[in-house]
Amino acid sequence: MPANYNNSAWFYDRLSRMVYGRALINAQVYLLQYVPANAVVLIAGGGTGWILEELTKIHPSGLQITYVEVAADMMALSKKRNTGSNKVTFINDAVENVTPDTKFDVVITPFLFDNFTEQTTEKVFNHLHNLLKPGGLWLNADFQLTGKWWQNVLLRSMFLFFKILCNIEASKLPDVDRQFGVHGYKTIEERTFFGDFIISKVYK
Ligand SMILES: C[S@@+](CC[C@H](N)C(=O)[O-])C[C@H]1O[C@@H](n2cnc3c(N)ncnc32)[C@H](O)[C@@H]1O
């Protein structure tokens, strides 16, 4: 059975705010400043969709957004978001199954890869890489371990919690940096949050 975030849709944001305060939001809002005006944007695994409202605060119009979310309950919440005059296409499917006819100026993966094993990460990464225009930007936010004991404790608790509730396949963080390196991406900006446990990177 694949992972399913439906069970957590109704409390996901409240729980993440309880544990991390605004850190998960700040990590993603930091990345959104790099989305150029009138860009064609892919958001993969947007959760309850608050990121759409944050993006709309920066660009109230002109964007063409494809919003892909595999959990139907997350998608239902996302569709209620204010997206201004931007054009948004909602696709309720796993992003690796989605083959749009356009390529994207920007791909956003907010806490997506931490769900996956190395094998799935590689597959999803390759798929997204092929959807990004040459010279496009890839905005990625995720957890990282920098040697602080509490990071391991928090990470293990999260994996256990989401394994029981949502059946996620991961039990350790995949090496996403390696994927970016293998595919020739360079980090052009980065910032850490929540005592370095969260890292947001702009890749080109
Ligand atoms: C850890 S949550 C993060 C949600 C949101 N980005 C946030 O920060 O609040 C991961 C999200 O990715 C979605 N997801 C997992 N695998 C996916 C896939 N293959 N394609 C699209 N969405 C996926 C899940 O349903 C879930 O909503």
Side-chain angles (χ1 to χ4, degrees):
M1 200 175 66
N4 184 344
Y5 271 79
N6 282 329
N7 296 336
S8 69
W10 65 277
F11 67 83
Y12 185 91
D13 286 347
R14 248 172 301 168
L15 179 69
S16 81
R17 260 148 243 191
M18 227 165 71
V19 181
Y20 294 106
R22 284 191 59 86
L24 300 182
I25 301 170
N26 293 342
Q28 294 173 60
V29 170
Y30 161 75
L31 290 173
L32 296 181
Q33 62 179 308
Y34 296 97
V35 175
N38 304 315
V40 184
V41 181
L42 173 66
I43 301 174
T48 67
W50 58 260
I51 193 170
L52 287 168
E53 296 194 339
E54 293 296 338
L55 189 51
T56 300
K57 284 185 198 162
I58 302 170
H59 297 290
S61 64
L63 300 178
Q64 274 184 61
I65 304 168
T66 300
Y67 183 92
V68 185
E69 171 51 62
V70 70
D73 291 5
M74 291 289 200
M75 186 53 108
L77 294 171
S78 302
K79 283 185 173 166
K80 294 184 188 153
R81 300 292 182 173
N82 173 19
T83 56
S85 304
N86 294 305
K87 186 174 171 286
V88 188
T89 308
F90 291 97
I91 304 178
N92 182 204
D93 201 346
V95 71
E96 59 273 30
N97 298 336
V98 176
T99 47
D101 345 301
T102 54
K103 295 226 173 191
F104 297 89
D105 301 305
V106 181
V107 166
I108 308 178
T109 45
F111 300 91
L112 174 73
F113 290 111
D114 58 15
N115 292 287
F116 300 146
T117 58
E118 291 292 350
Q119 206 186 0
T120 310
T121 297
E122 197 176 329
K123 182 170 128 198
V124 174
F125 192 99
N126 280 329
H127 186 73
L128 292 174
H129 171 65
N130 290 326
L131 296 179
L132 185 62
K133 287 182 192 167
L137 293 182
W138 190 323
L139 312 179
N140 185 56
D142 225 322
F143 296 100
Q144 66 172 0
L145 294 172
T146 60
K148 296 174 182 157
W149 66 269
W150 55 266
Q151 296 174 340
N152 263 307
V153 174
L154 257 181
L155 190 68
R156 278 199 211 140
S157 323
M158 275 192 298
F159 279 136
L160 184 64
F161 182 79
F162 285 107
K163 179 150 287 182
I164 293 169
L165 196 72
C166 307
N167 195 35
I168 65 160
E169 60 178 25
S171 49
K172 67 183 191 55
L173 289 175
D175 191 352
V176 186
D177 250 344
R178 200 182 77 81
Q179 293 298 328
F180 281 108
V182 167
H183 290 83
Y185 288 86
K186 296 271 175 287
T187 307
I188 56 170
E189 295 290 344
E190 67 175 85
R191 190 185 286 180
T192 60
F193 300 83
F194 206 79
D196 288 347
F197 189 32
I198 294 167
I199 183 149
S200 295
K201 282 195 182 189
V202 181
Y203 293 92
K204 195 174 169 122

